[in-house]
Amino acid sequence: MKQKTILLVTILPILIIVGLWSLSEMKASRDNGFQRKKSYLLLAPSHILQCSQPIKEVAAITNSFAYITTLSPGQIIVTDHNGIEKQVMRLNVDSIDFQETAIDFPDAYIIGGNKLTVYKCNLETQTSQKLHPPGPMLTRIASLGNGKFVFRQFKNGIRDQVFTRYNVRSNSFHSSKLLPQSFNDGGVITDGMLHYDSVTNRILYVYFRRGVFECLDTALNLLSSYKTIDTFSTFQNTSARIKQRYSFLSFTSHDPAKFINYSSCCADGLLYVFSMARADNEKPEYLSKNMPIDVYAIKNGKYLGSFYLPMIAHEKIQSLKVLGNLLIAVYYTQVGYYKIPSFS
């Protein structure tokens, strides 16, 4: 009897582990009801830029250079299109908790979101001007050019975020609009990425937790809503927690963040989306090392095809930027330079 008990105690944990592993494998391999066009498979980087500190994003790509920001406020790494470092700029800005950088050469705009601050910096003279727009904190920005921006930010009296238009020259806001869906949760469930495409003159909002992107005009009117190719048309986080301490509110999600669209960018009338959703014609082990980039036409939301970018040193893409057939992907401490196929 003792031997049977010892044997059962020994085997039971192994059976539990095997069962959990089998369950996770079943979930990972479960079909999601869509397929990707894999006309273009895995792309290899033409160059990898190694950095000594974490990279934030590619602020801009011009005809000659790429401007890459780090987590140090005001620091910009300038490379050519082949990934060769040309210069490291250190603009005169204060330390800020949250920053986004937009470049409209020769000007760079460094925007602090927690305590709303805008630095207008001249990249040629490296001088800066500090502005304090009247308004609460922001979480996303998109540059329309010529010192005009669209922000996603909080608004007094509303437990959610709105889109607003801001003009640096007048240091003023001109309009604000709520998203079509609001949950009074500080914008946690509806969080996403904000872009502007100059070719179609459209503002895009790509949801993180839902397979949908919205198209707006520059007056912030919703023009159309398009589905991505996956089947996740509803929000994958369904609730958020609101905490109040004294006069301050904080918002957190009840559920672990489940990303559908992890990162995105737009250029020349096309939207590029790094999707976390597995297609039925993809194997989980392939996606553990490679990341699908889905391409859509902004004018009608049509899915045009996909290609894959590799992880580098086990790092996945944090952000990306495209100009022509050049795609620059920011990982964590590395930046990959890719030549991508034409989808036009």
Side-chain angles (χ1 to χ4, degrees):
M1 187 68 171
K2 268 187 180 179
Q3 288 181 339
K4 288 183 179 179
T5 303
I6 292 170
L7 185 62
L8 182 62
V9 169
T10 305
I11 294 176
L12 188 59
I14 298 172
L15 292 175
I16 291 171
I17 291 170
V18 170
L20 289 173
W21 178 82
S22 300
L23 183 63
S24 66
E25 286 295 298
M26 285 172 62
K27 286 184 73 176
S29 60
R30 187 171 57 197
D31 285 350
N32 285 322
F34 73 98
Q35 296 198 352
R36 283 194 168 92
K37 298 177 185 177
K38 298 193 291 186
S39 306
Y40 311 98
L41 293 177
L42 184 62
L43 303 182
S46 58
H47 182 78
I48 298 173
L49 177 69
Q50 304 277 352
C51 301
S52 59
Q53 61 178 307
I55 300 299
K56 190 173 192 312
E57 63 182 348
V58 181
I61 307 175
T62 66
N63 290 333
S64 302
F65 300 107
Y67 296 84
I68 300 164
T69 62
T70 71
L71 294 183
S72 299
Q75 186 178 63
I76 299 176
I77 301 170
V78 184
T79 76
D80 63 16
H81 287 188
N82 296 314
I84 307 303
E85 186 177 306
K86 297 297 183 181
Q87 183 184 3
V88 177
M89 296 182 176
R90 290 178 175 84
L91 303 175
N92 184 26
V93 301
D94 297 332
S95 179
I96 45 183
D97 295 331
F98 165 86
Q99 66 173 44
E100 293 284 348
T101 303
I103 292 177
D104 188 10
F105 199 84
D107 293 320
Y109 300 91
I110 300 174
I111 301 171
N114 288 345
K115 186 177 180 181
L116 190 50
T117 306
V118 176
Y119 289 91
K120 181 183 178 183
C121 307
N122 187 292
L123 295 177
E124 295 177 330
T125 62
Q126 297 198 19
T127 56
S128 61
Q129 173 190 3
K130 186 178 182 180
L131 301 170
H132 290 288
M137 67 175 289
L138 62 87
T139 60
R140 307 288 171 200
I141 74 167
S143 172
L144 307 183
N146 298 317
K148 297 177 181 178
F149 293 88
V150 173
F151 294 160
R152 186 177 187 234
Q153 67 179 152
F154 290 92
K155 188 172 182 179
N156 293 331
I158 298 178
R159 288 189 176 186
D160 216 321
Q161 296 183 51
V162 298
F163 293 138
T164 59
R165 291 190 305 160
Y166 171 70
N167 190 318
V168 170
R169 292 179 183 178
S170 62
N171 193 30
S172 60
F173 293 93
H174 296 285
S175 61
S176 63
K177 295 282 178 71
L178 269 169
L179 279 168
Q181 286 185 275
S182 176
F183 296 91
N184 291 320
D185 65 341
V188 173
I189 294 174
T190 56
D191 198 10
M193 297 195 73
L194 193 58
H195 307 295
Y196 171 69
D197 177 59
S198 59
V199 170
T200 57
N201 196 31
R202 292 289 179 262
I203 297 163
L204 280 81
Y205 190 70
V206 185
Y207 291 100
F208 284 137
R209 299 173 179 88
R210 181 187 179 204
V212 170
F213 62 94
E214 316 273 17
C215 290
L216 302 90
D217 62 20
T218 53
L220 306 182
N221 297 308
L222 179 63
L223 299 177
S224 50
S225 181
Y226 298 116
K227 270 188 48 46
T228 50
I229 56 168
D230 56 79
T231 54
F232 300 98
S233 57
T234 58
F235 290 104
Q236 298 305 294
N237 286 62
T238 56
S239 60
R241 183 190 302 113
I242 302 174
K243 289 184 178 180
Q244 183 160 0
R245 181 175 175 82
Y246 305 113
S247 59
F248 298 97
L249 291 176
S250 63
F251 303 88
T252 56
S253 175
H254 278 152
D255 312 315
K258 182 176 181 180
F259 285 87
I260 303 302
N261 304 313
Y262 189 83
S263 187
S264 55
C265 71
C266 62
D268 303 321
L270 300 177
L271 173 66
Y272 299 82
V273 178
F274 164 28
S275 173
M276 300 286 283
R278 187 187 65 83
D280 296 348
N281 57 340
E282 292 170 329
K283 294 182 178 179
E285 55 268 26
Y286 186 79
L287 293 186
S288 69
K289 299 176 182 178
N290 305 297
M291 295 159 287
I293 308 297
D294 302 325
V295 185
Y296 302 88
I298 294 172
K299 64 180 179 181
N300 55 18
K302 182 181 178 182
Y303 168 61
L304 301 177
S306 302
F307 56 91
Y308 297 83
L309 301 181
M311 286 189 180
I312 297 178
H314 306 291
E315 295 177 7
K316 68 181 177 183
I317 292 170
Q318 302 301 312
S319 66
L320 57 160
K321 188 78 81 174
V322 171
L323 178 68
N325 69 338
L326 171 65
L327 182 149
I328 303 179
V330 168
Y331 290 77
Y332 183 65
T333 57
Q334 303 174 94
V335 183
Y337 293 71
Y338 298 88
K339 299 297 181 185
I340 61 174
S342 174
F343 288 88
S344 54

